[in-house]
Amino acid sequence: MFAKYERYHCISHGFENIAFQEVMKQWIDDLSRENRIYLPCVGISQKKDKVQRITRLSPLVENGTILFRRDQTELIEEVIHLPKADHDDGPDALEMAIGLARGTGPAASASSEATKEDYHAERSRGIFEKFGFRRAA
C-alpha cells in the first residue's frame, strides 16, 4: 500500500469498519506514524443493504461513467450476476470506492493529515479522470 501511495498519491484509502479490516487499518496507521508516510486511511461504516448500494451504480455503468477494463473479468462477472453471484466483494468495494471518490460514501473520520479540503481540492483537479472514470455530461 505504501508503494502504491507513493506512486499514485491516493487521496483516500477506505477500510470497512469490521473485524480484521479495522485491525488492518490500525496497523497501517501505526506503520504510517513509524515511517512518517501518512496514508489517508478512512473507516467506512455501512448501514444500508449491500445489494441496494451496489445496484445504485447501475446508471453510472449504463451511461459510461464507470468503465471496466477487459481484463477485469472476475469483477464484471460479479456485477452481471449480482445478487446471485457466488461472491460480491468486488462490486461492494467498487461501490465504496465510488462513494469515497464522490465524497458521498459513509466514511468515518479520517485518520491522517489529509483534510476534507485536501480531498475536494484534489477531486476538483480531475480525480475521476485520473482513475479512468468519466464525468456524465
Side-chain angles (χ1 to χ4, degrees):
M1 267 184 97
F2 288 92
K4 295 276 188 198
Y5 176 73
E6 289 292 313
R7 181 173 180 190
Y8 297 109
H9 305 286
C10 301
I11 57 171
S12 189
H13 294 271
F15 288 87
E16 259 187 302
N17 288 329
I18 57 171
F20 174 73
Q21 291 180 26
E22 202 168 299
V23 172
M24 186 173 171
K25 179 187 171 303
Q26 184 59 52
W27 178 67
I28 289 172
D29 284 345
D30 293 344
L31 284 173
S32 291
R33 279 189 292 280
E34 288 173 23
N35 295 297
R36 296 180 185 224
I37 299 173
Y38 298 98
L39 297 182
C41 294
V42 178
I44 300 173
S45 298
Q46 299 293 357
K47 296 190 179 16
K48 295 184 179 177
D49 176 68
K50 183 188 292 192
V51 174
Q52 285 181 334
R53 288 187 294 103
I54 297 168
T55 303
R56 289 192 327 225
L57 297 178
S58 181
L60 299 176
V61 173
E62 291 169 12
N63 73 18
T65 301
I66 297 175
L67 302 173
F68 298 98
R69 293 188 330 244
R70 287 190 173 104
D71 65 344
Q72 293 177 306
T73 54
E74 188 174 337
L75 175 59
I76 293 166
E77 287 295 314
E78 289 179 14
V79 169
I80 289 171
H81 296 292
L82 189 78
K84 297 182 183 191
D86 291 338
H87 303 284
D88 59 10
D89 293 334
D92 191 27
L94 175 62
E95 187 277 329
M96 286 185 260
I98 297 295
L100 285 174
R102 292 178 126 192
T104 59
S109 62
S111 60
S112 72
E113 293 179 349
T115 66
K116 189 173 185 179
E117 290 78 22
D118 294 333
Y119 172 82
H120 290 293
E122 182 69 23
R123 183 173 169 221
S124 68
R125 283 194 293 268
I127 192 68
F128 278 83
E129 291 77 14
K130 182 176 180 179
F131 292 106
F133 299 114
R134 290 186 302 170
R135 291 181 187 258

